[in-house]
C-alpha cells in the first residue's frame, strides 16, 4: 500500500527511542501552528493514548471545538488563554470562561466541553504538550460560541491524521 | 471520609489550571526519586490517562517491572538508559536490551514488556514526563531479570497511589 512508502506513517511500529527534533513537524494548513505527533494512533500504532507537541505563534489558536476524550496539557513555554464553555446543559456553548495558562502550568478540558486555546501573548510562542485518550481524536468544530452543539461539524480524520488515515490498513476497523 | 481532609487527594475534581511547581512532590520512599502526579486517576479523578513528572538523581532508577498499559516518555532534562526485555515468549525477562535516552527524546515501552529506567548519567538529574493509559497503574515487579514472569509481584496500589487509594470512595469499584 501507499503507507509503506510514506515515512510519516509508521503503521508497522516505531523505534523505541526517537529524537523529537527529527520528527515530522507541519502546520497542517493552520496558520501559526507547528504540530508534531510524538506518539500517535493512526500515525504510529498506539491504541490508548496520543501525545502531541504543539507550538502556537502569537495570535495563533485552535478552532472552537469539543471531543469526548480526556485532554491534558502541559505548558512548556510561553503563555496564553484557555477559553472553556462548561455550560453543557445549554443548546450552544455560549460565552466561555477565560483561564490564563503559563509556562510550567498544566490544564485539562472536561470531556465534551467546548473549548479553544489561544496564544494571547503578543511576544512569545506558546508551546504545549498535549495528551489525549481514546485516539484517534474525533473533533466537533464550532464556527462561533453560539453555534448549537448539534450543529458543530465533525472533522475526522483530524488535520494531522489525514495523511496516514488515507493509507492506513486499520481504516476499516474505525 | 479522610479523603476530604487530604489536599493530596482531589477526588472531587481539580482546578482547570494548576501550577506544576505548587503540586505535591515526594520520593514515596524511593531513593533519588522525585515524583509529581500531574494528572492522576486515584488522585484527581481522570479515567483514561495519567501524567507524571519524575526526576531521577544520578544512579536512581525504577524497579524492573511490567504493566499491561501503554507507557510513553518524554525526556525533559538529562540522559539515561532504558533497559527493555522484549522476549516475552520466554519464561523470564532475561538480559535486557539497552537504549540510551536523552533530552528531547521520546521513548515508549511495548505493552507487558519488562523494563527499567535508570539515570546512568553521573552528573545530571534525569527528568521525564510519563504518560500511561488505563490508570491506575497495575505494576508487576521483578527482583532481577531472571525472575519468572509468573513470579513477578503485583504492587497495587502503586507507590504514589497508596495514600489516596486508602481513602478513595472509588475503592470498591476497582
Ligand atoms: Zn481539545
Ligand atoms: Zn513502566
Amino acid at each position: 500500500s501507499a503507507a509503506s512508502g510514506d515515512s510519516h506513517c509508521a503503521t508497522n511500529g516505531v523505534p523505541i527511542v526517537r529524537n523529537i527534533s527529527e520528527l515530522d513537524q507541519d502546520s497542517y494548513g493552520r496558520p501559526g501552528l507547528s504540530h508534531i505527533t510524538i506518539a500517535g494512533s493512526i500515525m504510529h500504532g498506539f491504541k490508548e493514548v496520543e501525545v502531541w507537541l504543539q507550538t502556537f505563534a502569537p495570535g495563533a489558536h485552535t478552532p472552537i471545538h469539543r471531543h469526548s476524550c480526556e485532554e491534558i496539557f502541559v505548558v512548556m513555554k510561553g503563555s496564553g488563554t484557555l477559553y472553556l464553555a462548561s455550560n453543557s446543559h445549554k443548546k450552544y456553548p455560549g460565552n466561555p470562561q477565560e483561564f490564563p495558562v503559563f509556562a510550567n502550568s498544566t490544564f485539562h478540558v472536561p470531556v465534551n466541553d467546548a473549548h479553544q486555546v489561544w496564544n494571547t501573548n503578543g511576544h512569545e510562542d506558546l508551546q504545549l504538550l498535549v495528551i489525549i485518550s481514546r485516539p484517534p481524536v474525533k473533533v466537533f468544530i464550532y464556527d462561533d460560541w453560539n453555534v448549537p452543539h448539534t450543529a458543530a461539524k465533525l472533522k475526522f480524520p483530524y488535520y494531522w491524521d489525514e495523511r496516514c488515515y488515507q493509507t492506513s490498513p486499520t481504516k476499516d476497523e474505525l
Side-chain angles (χ1 to χ4, degrees), chain A:
Chain A
S1 77
S4 56
D6 187 345
S7 66
H8 187 83
C9 310
T11 46
N12 294 324
V14 283
I16 295 293
V17 183
R18 291 168 296 144
N19 187 337
I20 292 174
S21 63
E22 294 172 359
L23 302 182
D24 280 315
Q25 170 173 327
D26 203 313
S27 72
Y28 295 94
R30 281 176 37 186
L33 174 69
S34 158
H35 170 99
I36 296 170
T37 296
I38 289 180
S41 162
I42 289 175
M43 205 177 285
H44 304 128
F46 290 94
K47 293 184 167 60
E48 300 175 351
V49 288
E50 189 152 321
V51 182
W52 309 328
L53 182 64
Q54 297 191 318
T55 307
F56 294 85
H61 55 87
T62 70
I64 303 169
H65 68 286
R66 73 165 198 267
H67 37 62
S68 59
C69 58
E70 291 186 342
E71 183 169 40
I72 296 161
F73 297 81
V74 175
V75 183
M76 313 293 280
K77 291 179 192 166
S79 61
T81 306
L82 167 69
Y83 297 91
L84 179 65
S86 296
N87 309 320
S88 49
H89 56 286
K90 286 195 191 157
K91 292 194 172 155
Y92 55 89
N95 275 344
Q97 267 193 281
E98 298 185 19
F99 294 91
V101 303
F102 47 92
N104 206 37
S105 70
T106 179
F107 60 100
H108 68 278
V109 171
V111 167
N112 278 321
D113 279 1
H115 60 284
Q116 183 176 41
V117 177
W118 272 81
N119 182 350
T120 46
N121 175 327
H123 303 287
E124 270 183 272
D125 283 353
L126 170 65
Q127 190 178 56
L128 303 170
L129 203 88
V130 188
I131 296 122
I132 61 153
S133 63
R134 285 192 279 135
V137 69
K138 292 85 175 173
V139 172
F140 289 85
I141 294 181
Y142 300 76
D143 284 337
D144 64 58
W145 296 97
N146 296 318
V147 168
H149 293 303
T150 52
K153 288 184 191 120
L154 175 64
K155 176 153 180 61
F156 185 84
Y158 208 49
Y159 297 96
W160 36 87
D161 287 336
E162 286 179 318
R163 203 185 313 174
C164 295
Y165 185 73
Q166 288 162 7
T167 56
S168 165
T170 63
K171 181 165 62 174
D172 295 336
E173 296 170 23
L174 293 170

